[in-house]
């Protein structure tokens, strides 16, 4: 029996490649920067252009499918996940990096049916690394199979996370105290490259042992989440419970013991869910 | 150039193999056989060609060599910058070679091993990445800044509080963000290329600073001490930025984390 979603996936890879070209071109130019939820939550015309590009081409080919895209949601579109085949899109993950020309910028596309992630694509376009995963078929980067590190000992771990775009003093305090607790275990170190999707792909490739963050959105996690699980890793909620795509938070790790140890160390930041109706 | 090809092959090969890992000053201060091997290789090749020159290099210093800069032509070497990354196969690892004469930094070379990018700077002749001329960012405003830093080897509670406190201050000043990539030399190269606006760190060494300082200055940037005064190569601390204004702002904001000097006994 043939794979009903393989065609969608192949199409998504083509779109991600083309989007990456648009982004690389825009990187060389001056940028008009706007802000969203805070003075450090940046967006540019390129974010909007790339998202419109991707969504319009998918709509043409698959008119019955649903969409949750970062810039569409910012413009007022809904972000409730139904059972309908749904494309969850971040046109530029790492917009702050993009604005500065810091070379970690990715297009992220996750495809969800019956609320289950079927495939994910993350194209780190400056590095020209195409990360992909199809449920049950493994995870790859530029054709090379990916495998997580398998590390189970937190004291030998390298973690990835971000400081986030929330500058509320209370939130900053929690973010930094979480880092303090983890660094004190001790661990080998913490890295932050500036995009959730690329951070997660680094874990999937075995270059780091876990990623955690609170405050990101479903479009940051939908593409890379399945890349991690197909590379042998685990996804967990920061509370230690099962991962929830609309919860605004994630632990993505090379092993369950590492994920659980991180969950133990984290103080939770209260956040509005992506599918909240008010 | 030939030396680099050989070195990078060695490091690339080593990146894919199992590694014997030891620790130095703390559980987070790692070293491997590759660090030693690469350093010995670089030094022996250079010694053959320049028998009267001196050397300051990371693993030799760890083994007891003195870390004193004289007027003699001196090579200042970090064989593997980003050893923790190297151990984990986190793909940000570099070789750094700086050169000083009469205590003045003359040129520097930093090679990004997995991306195959060669950064160079020669005093008075500009800075380049793979033949593309480098130019720092001209940003003076902290609220538009992307800042890079590294944690450093000390992980005691007081150090962590100061380290995180410095980040807190910069975030409160509305900096766009703070990034940590695990290699001070490559982070400094990002600064030289204009991809970041500032870098600061406590706990790095002269072998991390020697090459990058020339590259950044030749790209138009500023490299100073965390006190706001002139760079002190052996002080184990630095603030670097595209502009003097940015560098001075950060120097004023951050609190000092004390590390022993490289030339202390």
């Amino acid at each position: 029996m043939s794979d009903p979603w393989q065609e969608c996936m192949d199409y998504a890879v083509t779109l991600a490649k083309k989007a990456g070209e648009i982004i690389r071109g825009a990187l060389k130019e001056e940028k008009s920067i706007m802000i969203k939820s805070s003075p450090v939550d940046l967006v540019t015309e390129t974010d909007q252009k790339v998202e419109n590009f991707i969504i319009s081409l998918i709509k043409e080919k698959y008119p019955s499918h649903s969409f949750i895209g970062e810039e569409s949601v910012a413009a007022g579109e809904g972000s409730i996940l139904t059972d309908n085949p749904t494309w969850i899109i971040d046109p530029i993950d790492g917009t702050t990096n993009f604005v500065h020309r810091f070379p970690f910028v990715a297009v992220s596309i996750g495809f969800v049916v019956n609320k289950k992630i079927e495939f994910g694509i993350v194209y780190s376009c400056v590095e020209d690394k195409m990360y992909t995963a199809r449920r049950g078929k493994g995870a790859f980067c530029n054709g090379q199979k990916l495998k997580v590190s398998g590390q189970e000992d937190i004291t030998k771990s390298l973690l990835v996370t971000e400081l986030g775009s929330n500058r509320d003093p209370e939130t900053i305090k929690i973010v930094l105290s979480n880092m303090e607790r983890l660094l004190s275990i001790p661990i080998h170190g913490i890295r932050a490259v500036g995009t959730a999707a690329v951070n997660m792909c680094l874990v999937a490739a075995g270059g780091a042992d876990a990623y955690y963050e609170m405050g990101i959105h479903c479009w940051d996690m939908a593409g890379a989440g399945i890349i991690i699980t197909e590379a042998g890793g685990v996804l967990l909620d920061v509370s230690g419970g099962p991962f929830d795509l609309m919860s605004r938070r994630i632990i993505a790790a090379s092993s369950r013991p590492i994920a659980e140890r991180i969950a133990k160390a984290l103080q939770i930041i209260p956040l509005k869910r992506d599918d909240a109706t008010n | 150039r030939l030396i680099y090809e050989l070195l990078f092959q060695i490091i690339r090969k080593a990146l894919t193999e199992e590694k014997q890992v030891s620790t130095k000053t703390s559980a987070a201060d790692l070293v491997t056989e590759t660090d030693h091997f690469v350093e010995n290789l670089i030094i022996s090749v250079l010694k053959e060609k320049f028998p009267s020159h001196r050397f300051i290099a990371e693993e030799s210093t760890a083994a007891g060599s003195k870390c004193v800069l004289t007027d003699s032509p001196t090579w200042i070497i970090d064989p593997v910058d980003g050893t923790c990354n190297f151990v984990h196969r986190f793909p940000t690892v570099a070789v750094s070679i700086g050169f000083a004469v009469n205590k003045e930094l003359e040129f520097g070379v930093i090679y990004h091993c997995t991306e195959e990018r060669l950064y160079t700077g020669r005093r008075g002749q500009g800075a380049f990445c793979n033949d593309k001329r480098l130019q720092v960012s001209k940003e003076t405003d902290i609220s538009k800044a992307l800042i890079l830093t590294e944690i450093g080897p000390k992980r005691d509670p007081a150090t962590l509080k100061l380290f995180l406190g410095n980040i807190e201050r910069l975030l409160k000043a509305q900096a766009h963000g703070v990034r940590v990539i695990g290699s001070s030399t490559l982070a400094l190269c990002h600064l030289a290329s204009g991809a970041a606006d500032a870098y600061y760190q406590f706990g790095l060494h002269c072998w991390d600073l020697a090459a990058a300082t020339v590259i950044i200055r030749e790209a138009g940037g500023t490299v100073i001490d965390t006190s706001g005064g002139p760079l002190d190569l052996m002080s184990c601390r630095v603030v670097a930025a595209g502009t003097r204004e940015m560098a001075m702002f950060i120097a004023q904001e951050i609190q000092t984390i004390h590390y022993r000097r490289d030339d202390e006994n």
Side-chain angles (χ1 to χ4, degrees), chain A residues 163 172 176 179, chain B residues 149 162-172 178 180 200 254:
Chain A
L163 296 165
I172 293 177
L176 294 177
M179 281 185 170
Chain B
T149 190
L162 286 168
F163 172 75
L164 295 167
N166 285 339
I167 291 185
E168 187 173 12
R169 284 154 191 263
L170 295 171
L171 291 180
K172 283 195 165 149
V178 180
V180 177
Y200 71 96
I254 59 180

Side-chain angles (χ1 to χ4, degrees), chain A residues 30-48:
Chain A
E30 278 309 305
K31 289 167 203 65
S32 201
I33 304 166
M34 299 156 276
I35 64 177
K36 293 195 287 188
S37 65
S38 83
V40 298
D41 186 9
L42 310 180
V43 65
T44 71
E45 301 169 313
T46 312
D47 297 68
Q48 294 157 343

Side-chain angles (χ1 to χ4, degrees), chain A residues 40 42 97 100-103 156 158 163 167 173 176 180 184 187-188 190-194 202 206-207 209, chain B residues 27-28 85 88-90 144 146 148 155 160-161 164 168 171 174-176 178-182 190 194-195 197:
Chain A
V40 298
L42 310 180
N97 286 356
H100 287 271
R101 298 188 180 103
F102 191 72
K156 295 188 170 53
L158 183 65
L163 296 165
R167 293 289 182 268
K173 274 202 158 26
L176 294 177
E180 188 174 7
S184 306
I187 57 178
H188 276 176
I190 290 184
R191 303 286 176 263
V193 309
L202 286 166
D209 304 296
Chain B
N85 285 353
H88 285 271
R89 300 189 182 108
F90 189 87
K144 296 190 171 49
L146 183 65
L148 308 185
R155 301 296 167 85
L160 290 180
K161 280 210 155 20
L164 295 167
E168 187 173 12
L171 291 180
Q174 301 304 314
H176 275 176
V178 180
R179 305 282 178 264
V180 177
I181 63 171
H190 280 309
D197 304 292

Side-chain angles (χ1 to χ4, degrees), chain B residues 166-242:
Chain B
N166 285 339
I167 291 185
E168 187 173 12
R169 284 154 191 263
L170 295 171
L171 291 180
K172 283 195 165 149
Q174 301 304 314
H176 275 176
V178 180
R179 305 282 178 264
V180 177
I181 63 171
S183 157
S184 49
T185 61
L186 289 177
L188 289 162
C189 287
H190 280 309
L191 177 63
S193 71
D197 304 292
Y199 180 88
Y200 71 96
Q201 193 190 335
F202 297 93
L204 75 178
H205 296 277
C206 56
W207 46 78
D208 299 313
L209 285 170
T213 297
V214 180
I215 293 169
I216 290 172
R217 286 177 176 162
E218 286 300 315
T222 297
V223 184
I224 58 174
D225 183 64
T226 53
S227 65
L231 174 71
D232 178 352
L233 191 62
M234 299 293 175
S235 65
C236 293
R237 57 199 210 183
V238 71
V239 174

Side-chain angles (χ1 to χ4, degrees), chain A residues 52-256:
Chain A
N52 292 340
F53 166 78
I54 295 175
I55 291 182
S56 58
L57 282 174
I58 298 175
K59 259 188 182 153
E60 222 176 80
K61 209 164 156 58
Y62 306 105
S64 66
H65 289 188
S66 303
F67 299 87
I68 297 177
E70 174 164 19
E71 307 316 330
S72 314
V73 169
E77 293 284 331
S79 55
I80 308 282
L81 184 62
T82 66
D83 286 345
N84 200 40
T86 304
W87 300 75
I88 304 183
I89 298 161
D90 191 343
I92 300 184
D93 188 42
T95 295
T96 300
N97 286 356
F98 172 66
V99 162
H100 287 271
R101 298 188 180 103
F102 191 72
F104 295 98
V105 175
V107 184
S108 175
I109 300 175
F111 183 72
V112 181
V113 184
N114 297 323
K115 304 206 181 77
K116 213 166 174 172
I117 306 181
E118 287 295 332
F119 66 76
I121 298 184
V122 173
Y123 182 42
S124 179
C125 50
V126 179
E127 313 177 275
D128 194 19
K129 286 187 177 156
M130 179 70 72
Y131 295 90
T132 61
R134 170 83 184 94
R135 190 161 65 86
K137 301 233 175 93
F140 298 84
C141 176
N142 291 354
Q144 235 194 348
K145 191 149 178 145
L146 297 179
K147 191 161 171 9
V148 290
S149 71
Q151 182 63 256
E152 299 198 342
D153 182 351
I154 192 79
T155 67
K156 295 188 170 53
S157 69
L158 183 65
L159 304 185
V160 222
T161 189
E162 293 295 333
L163 296 165
S165 55
N166 191 326
R167 293 289 182 268
D168 160 57
E170 281 316 302
T171 303
I172 293 177
K173 274 202 158 26
I174 300 176
V175 168
L176 294 177
S177 76
N178 283 338
M179 281 185 170
E180 188 174 7
R181 251 186 305 276
L182 289 165
L183 285 167
S184 306
I185 293 176
I187 57 178
H188 276 176
I190 290 184
R191 303 286 176 263
V193 309
T195 123
V198 174
N199 282 339
M200 286 169 74
C201 288
L202 286 166
V203 175
D209 304 296
Y211 164 78
Y212 74 92
E213 193 171 352
M214 289 176 274
I216 54 177
H217 293 273
C218 57
W219 46 78
D220 298 311
M221 307 188 265
I226 188 164
I227 294 171
I228 294 236
T229 51
E230 285 297 318
V234 305
L235 303 180
L236 205 66
D237 183 62
V238 297
S239 63
F243 170 62
D244 177 351
L245 184 60
M246 308 309 258
S247 67
R248 305 281 309 279
R249 54 201 213 191
I250 187 171
I251 299 173
S254 62
S255 71
R256 184 153 273 266

